[in-house]
Amino acid sequence: MPQPVLTGGIPLAPLVRAVLDECRRLGSRQPVTSLLAETVQHGVRVADLFAELDAGSSRGTAMPREVLHRIADGARSVAEVDAMRVWRSTGLPEPLWNHQLRDESGEYIATPDAYFVDVEFAWEIDSYDFHFGKRQYAATLARNGRYAAAGIAVLQTLPSRLRSEPDQVAAELVSAFRAAKARRSRVA
């Protein structure tokens, strides 16, 4: 049993333990992924989450453990975990996940959800929530302009399609990858 954290004199479970206890109780992958991704985005180390899973009962840990492996691979959201699942079905090489891209002069280009280095191809999972408002839409267009200026091909996918049409998304990803590879061959 981990040492409690005192808040206002009240003993509480440490954050890592509380998060994993909740994950064990959740019945589906999406809320587990959301909770774990949010926890990591707010500074909790994946290694600490794994250590707590290893220290406690193994009951109810299969799903949190699988999700943590995806987060350790670079996923930072439910959509990115879904994207990794679709990507794994394609046979394409491993991309860099959430890797910051800069041009030769060090200027920021973007941080794509997935980037295939050898063919200069980015895959973005773009939701309405983060790209719909005027400011967000303008930022998305500016990002795509930076991709174009750097010669990077980009495929944009709605997160909902990763679950509703995974085979079609996988086919589009493979086709876009092949097109980027063919373009690089012509340039080289």
Side-chain angles (χ1 to χ4, degrees):
M1 184 71 101
Q3 287 294 323
V5 175
L6 292 178
T7 303
I10 300 171
L12 301 172
L15 176 63
V16 170
R17 175 64 175 267
V19 165
L20 291 170
D21 283 350
E22 181 63 15
C23 286
R24 286 181 177 107
R25 291 178 179 91
L26 294 170
S28 64
R29 185 174 312 282
Q30 186 165 350
V32 168
T33 303
S34 292
L35 180 56
L36 289 174
E38 183 85 13
T39 300
V40 170
Q41 287 174 5
H42 282 87
V44 174
R45 295 174 344 124
V46 172
D48 292 340
L49 292 162
F50 274 122
E52 179 63 28
L53 279 175
D54 293 341
S57 166
S58 63
R59 194 174 81 224
T61 64
M63 189 182 309
R65 196 174 296 280
E66 188 270 327
V67 168
L68 275 177
H69 280 290
R70 300 295 75 78
I71 291 171
D73 289 344
R76 295 295 176 254
S77 68
V78 173
E80 290 178 17
V81 169
D82 292 341
M84 286 180 171
R85 190 174 301 114
V86 169
W87 161 74
R88 280 185 173 73
S89 74
T90 66
L92 293 175
E94 176 84 32
L96 297 176
W97 297 95
N98 293 296
H99 179 77
Q100 193 176 89
L101 302 179
R102 296 191 173 273
D103 65 16
E104 296 81 30
S105 64
E107 291 295 313
Y108 177 76
I109 299 170
T111 304
D113 296 311
Y115 183 65
F116 298 87
V117 178
D118 292 342
V119 298
E120 295 183 328
F121 168 54
W123 187 25
E124 292 283 3
I125 311 304
D126 289 338
S127 69
Y128 293 122
D129 293 342
F130 294 106
H131 302 273
F132 184 67
K134 274 186 174 183
R135 202 171 303 144
Q136 297 95 329
Y137 183 68
T140 300
L141 289 180
R143 176 202 71 194
N144 290 350
R146 292 190 304 272
Y147 278 138
I152 297 170
V154 63
L155 173 66
Q156 293 173 269
T157 302
L158 288 171
S160 58
R161 292 188 64 226
L162 296 167
R163 289 174 184 240
S164 65
E165 306 170 23
D167 294 338
Q168 187 174 350
V169 171
E172 291 168 2
L173 183 59
V174 169
S175 293
F177 177 89
R178 288 180 181 154
K181 185 176 182 177
R183 180 183 53 85
R184 291 290 301 150
S185 295
R186 288 191 299 271
V187 172

